Amino acid sequence: MSDATKGPVQLAARNLTRHFSVRTPGRLLNARRVVRAVDDVSLDLVAGEVVAVVGESGSGKSVLARMLARIVTPTSGDLVLQGTPIAIKSKRTLAYASQVQLVLQDPFASMNPVHRMSHNLLRPLRIHGASKADAPALAEAALRRVSLEPPSRFLESYPHELSGGQLQRVSIARALCIEPKVLLADEPISMLDVSVRLGVLNLLRGLCDDDRLAILYITHDIASARYIADSIIVMYAGQIVEQSRGTSLVDEPKHPYTQLLVASVPDPSDPTRDVPPTGEHAQIAVAEKGCRFNPRCPHVMDRCREEEPPAFVVGENHTSKCWLYADHEAAVEVALSTRRREGETATT
Amino acid sequence: MTTDSMGVDDVVATEVPPGALPTTTYGPIVATTHGDAAMGERILDVRNFSVDYGWGENAVRAVDDVDVHLDRSTVLGIAGESGSGKSTLVYAITRLLRAPGVIRGGEARFNLGTDDEGEHIIDLVNASERELRGVRWSSISIVLQSALSALNPVVRVGSQFEQVLKSHRKDMSKDQRRSRAAALLAMVGLDEDRLDRYPHELSGGQRQRIMIALALTLDPQLVIMDEPTTALDVVTQREIIGELFELRAQLGFAMIFITHDLSLLTELADEIVVMYAGALVERASARELYEAPRHPYSLGLLNSFPPMHGERTELTGIPGSPPDLAHLPTGCSFHPRCPYAMARCTNETPPLVEIKGSDRSVACWLHVGDAGVAVPVELSRVATGTKKFDPATEVAR
């Protein structure tokens, strides 16, 4: 994913993996199995860009966000913050937290209900070293950035006095007040009223464009990802199955799971579209061996049950982890390099 | 997921589980027939319906003078955000609303069907508990949003079916009950062995399917779906909706489908009503509402869903946030957020009136003949009437 106009990589994740060991119900007392919640995920969060991670519940997207925030310790993998490798097994430092902030799904649960907003906002500021005299002005500035005017009114209110949309803006302001470089937003709009969701999405886009924040936007709503993101990642069962820059992943989905996801979104403008079989009734939804989607996949081949596919190039800055594109890759590469050459001749 | 500001969902969810059903049987329902009663194909007719939370000065009007009706085997969609009164409305109609919710007025007539003696109509608002017990589940059933809190967590799935059948179908033997439960599970695509499971052992999609199967246990004429798929991901939602419509094609029940997801509703409902701050602001066929909304709020809601096709353009949605029902704005409740608001909107409440020459209604001063203003082009489009999506034929397993 090289792009000349790209800003600096603020946070890079390399081969992040998190396994959980769980007891298997109904088996012998000691029978445990491993849930591969996140498996070998690499991504770059770049200043001035929104990366969207889309997946259903249980796909590992929230565990990924928590690993990036260093609340969950990865089983293996590396994190690189602004070029500096991080010791992932050690405790999260204040310096890390000052650069990478997490905004959670439920704004009602993420604010202390017995304290005014001023407490909720001033505390992180004080912890991160703002002086007692400076802190209130910084908090007000953060509230202005998320369009809560007048800030003094909001500083005095309690969580129950604000609407969901306003509270989510305060949570974003709380994350922003210490001026981090990376904002991790885990389903920030799914608990909000439909009519205020766009406002929060536009706010995130604005923070990215105007303040050059690197934003990770985690969602199950692929339409909102298409609306806001510079690149989109689709996760299934802990793995990245498809990713693209721009909207090509939604416009021309390649992986059978992405195709299913895109077709399942209610779309009154295209009521007669084909929805592929969902395969939700498959006895095992996640295969232990081969491609993890194979029990549900309408295009499953013998190879898919045996070998795990690598990510194949399926278009410009667009990869798909599916054997269907194994032979296709060479053809796409040729087409792309031709196009690149043509582009070069055209510009020179 | 939405949180209902009034907490109605929680209250009702604890009331509905099969375990809470009385185990005695009740005699035939005494039909109350009105003078002007003939309902024909109409299965539910709700008029001038109002619901308050609380009494006296502190009362908050959650549903304000609402008229809704639906015909046999049709789907009525109720769209609105949390706090718009959509759940309160159906809980009140089915008399599941608990204090401090009070029905302040109006009638809700339900058509139980026609036999030799004529039509049997029951007025749900004035029906006795005994009459209601005869109607609930067997004629009107409900599927709630949170299947985990609506299913009894300490009772196996099979017994939850068992209890319903035991109390409503006295003549069935144990084996018959078991096979009926298995048949119901098969209808929603689940294996019989799920009957021996506890709710927590099942996935969200499976639990919601069990809720649907439970609702269909006694072959109701009307099934109310309160955000049945909001907590599920889109793939599971798509599949459950497909199954639901297959079942409807087989069994012919009517449906009231409540959701905040207007695009989903547009795909599956015949008629849609849009609620805002407790009142109906628009009523139209699903296609007309999608292609040619008349109320600025409906238009704003439709524009709040980013599209899946075309160029990316910045959308604005609706400015501001939904009003506090205890301090409603004067005049039209939507006027502080409305880009088309006029002087009149701030002090006069627009009535829901039929648009001339159509069978749709809207509550907006822009569309009142003597408004003296031109209706903006985006609120006066004409629907082209594209083919309606039919999930029953679309879904393939």
Side-chain angles (χ1 to χ4, degrees), chain A residues 114-136:
Chain A
V114 300
H115 284 294
R116 293 178 200 272
M117 289 303 139
S118 52
H119 173 90
N120 281 306
L121 278 165
L122 294 178
R123 220 173 115 75
L125 277 167
R126 295 283 289 136
I127 289 172
H128 286 276
S131 74
K132 206 165 189 175
D134 294 345

Side-chain angles (χ1 to χ4, degrees), chain B residues 291-365:
Chain B
E291 291 180 6
R294 290 290 180 263
H295 197 282
Y297 177 65
S298 313
L299 178 70
L301 263 191
L302 285 165
N303 286 342
S304 296
F305 294 95
M308 289 289 282
H309 312 283
E311 281 294 298
R312 287 198 288 186
T313 48
E314 182 163 345
L315 304 172
T316 45
I318 306 174
S321 40
D324 177 0
L325 291 178
H327 307 99
L328 275 188
T330 55
C332 170
S333 311
F334 186 60
H335 87 259
R337 304 176 73 188
C338 181
Y340 311 101
M342 305 173 284
R344 186 179 197 177
C345 306
T346 57
N347 42 44
E348 286 177 77
T349 309
L352 184 74
V353 284
E354 198 159 286
I355 297 172
K356 279 194 194 84
S358 72
D359 51 358
R360 55 188 296 185
S361 323
V362 64
C364 178
W365 289 122

Side-chain angles (χ1 to χ4, degrees), chain A residues 49-63:
Chain A
E49 283 193 8
V50 178
V51 174
V53 174
V54 185
E56 60 191 11
S57 33
S59 61
K61 54 193 197 299
S62 289
V63 175

Side-chain angles (χ1 to χ4, degrees), chain B residues 52-368:
Chain B
D52 281 359
Y53 282 101
W55 291 266
E57 282 186 6
N58 296 327
V60 168
R61 174 85 15 135
V63 173
D64 191 16
D65 198 16
V66 164
D67 287 8
V68 287
H69 47 75
L70 82 155
D71 290 346
R72 268 180 211 291
S73 306
T74 59
V75 183
L76 172 72
I78 305 184
E81 299 179 81
S82 30
S84 63
K86 55 193 195 307
S87 299
T88 304
L89 173 65
V90 295
Y91 292 140
I93 291 172
T94 48
R95 296 277 305 278
L96 290 166
L97 193 69
R98 277 198 174 169
V102 219
I103 298 173
R104 273 284 165 239
E107 59 176 28
R109 296 194 305 141
F110 183 75
N111 187 349
L112 288 158
T114 312
D115 63 10
D116 300 344
E117 295 163 29
E119 272 185 341
H120 289 274
I121 291 166
I122 178 168
D123 178 3
L124 295 169
V125 174
N126 297 311
S128 66
E129 270 305 304
R130 185 188 156 95
E131 288 171 323
L132 283 172
R133 278 178 193 146
V135 178
R136 283 180 186 155
W137 220 310
S138 46
S139 300
I140 305 178
S141 64
I142 189 161
V143 175
L144 299 161
Q145 176 180 351
S146 170
L148 190 58
S149 49
L151 289 168
N152 190 336
V154 296
V155 174
R156 287 180 206 273
V157 169
S159 327
Q160 315 213 16
F161 283 95
E162 179 100 336
Q163 286 170 21
V164 183
L165 290 167
K166 241 181 181 169
S167 46
H168 288 266
R169 296 280 185 270
K170 280 275 180 185
D171 49 334
M172 279 178 116
S173 71
K174 196 171 189 323
D175 288 345
Q176 283 175 320
R177 288 196 295 263
R178 173 87 189 186
S179 60
R180 173 73 180 146
L184 285 160
L185 282 197
M187 286 199 314
V188 293
L190 294 178
D191 285 340
E192 192 183 342
D193 63 6
R194 300 278 168 246
L195 287 175
D196 301 320
R197 300 291 181 85
Y198 287 97
H200 73 266
E201 295 179 282
L202 306 171
S203 72
Q206 289 175 331
R207 286 198 286 260
Q208 205 51 271
R209 288 193 173 87
I210 285 169
M211 285 300 291
I212 292 170
L214 268 172
L216 299 177
T217 310
L218 304 173
D219 263 328
Q221 296 154 289
L222 172 63
V223 181
I224 294 170
M225 303 269 168
D226 186 12
E227 308 240 11
T229 56
T230 307
L232 307 173
D233 55 73
V234 282
V235 175
T236 316
Q237 162 172 299
R238 169 68 39 191
E239 190 165 69
I240 290 186
I241 299 286
E243 287 168 5
L244 202 54
F245 277 76
E246 263 174 54
L247 289 171
R248 198 181 68 99
Q250 279 170 33
L251 306 172
F253 50 85
M255 242 195 287
I256 295 181
F257 201 102
I258 302 174
T259 178
H260 64 269
D261 188 344
L262 201 49
S263 16
L264 177 66
L265 218 46
T266 315
E267 284 196 352
L268 57 84
D270 296 307
E271 190 176 50
I272 295 179
V273 295
V274 181
M275 288 187 78
Y276 186 77
L280 287 196
V281 296
E282 184 160 9
R283 179 210 327 273
S285 76
R287 218 54 233 181
E288 280 178 324
L289 189 83
Y290 173 69
E291 291 180 6
R294 290 290 180 263
H295 197 282
Y297 177 65
S298 313
L299 178 70
L301 263 191
L302 285 165
N303 286 342
S304 296
F305 294 95
M308 289 289 282
H309 312 283
E311 281 294 298
R312 287 198 288 186
T313 48
E314 182 163 345
L315 304 172
T316 45
I318 306 174
S321 40
D324 177 0
L325 291 178
H327 307 99
L328 275 188
T330 55
C332 170
S333 311
F334 186 60
H335 87 259
R337 304 176 73 188
C338 181
Y340 311 101
M342 305 173 284
R344 186 179 197 177
C345 306
T346 57
N347 42 44
E348 286 177 77
T349 309
L352 184 74
V353 284
E354 198 159 286
I355 297 172
K356 279 194 194 84
S358 72
D359 51 358
R360 55 188 296 185
S361 323
V362 64
C364 178
W365 289 122
L366 278 175
H367 298 281
V368 174

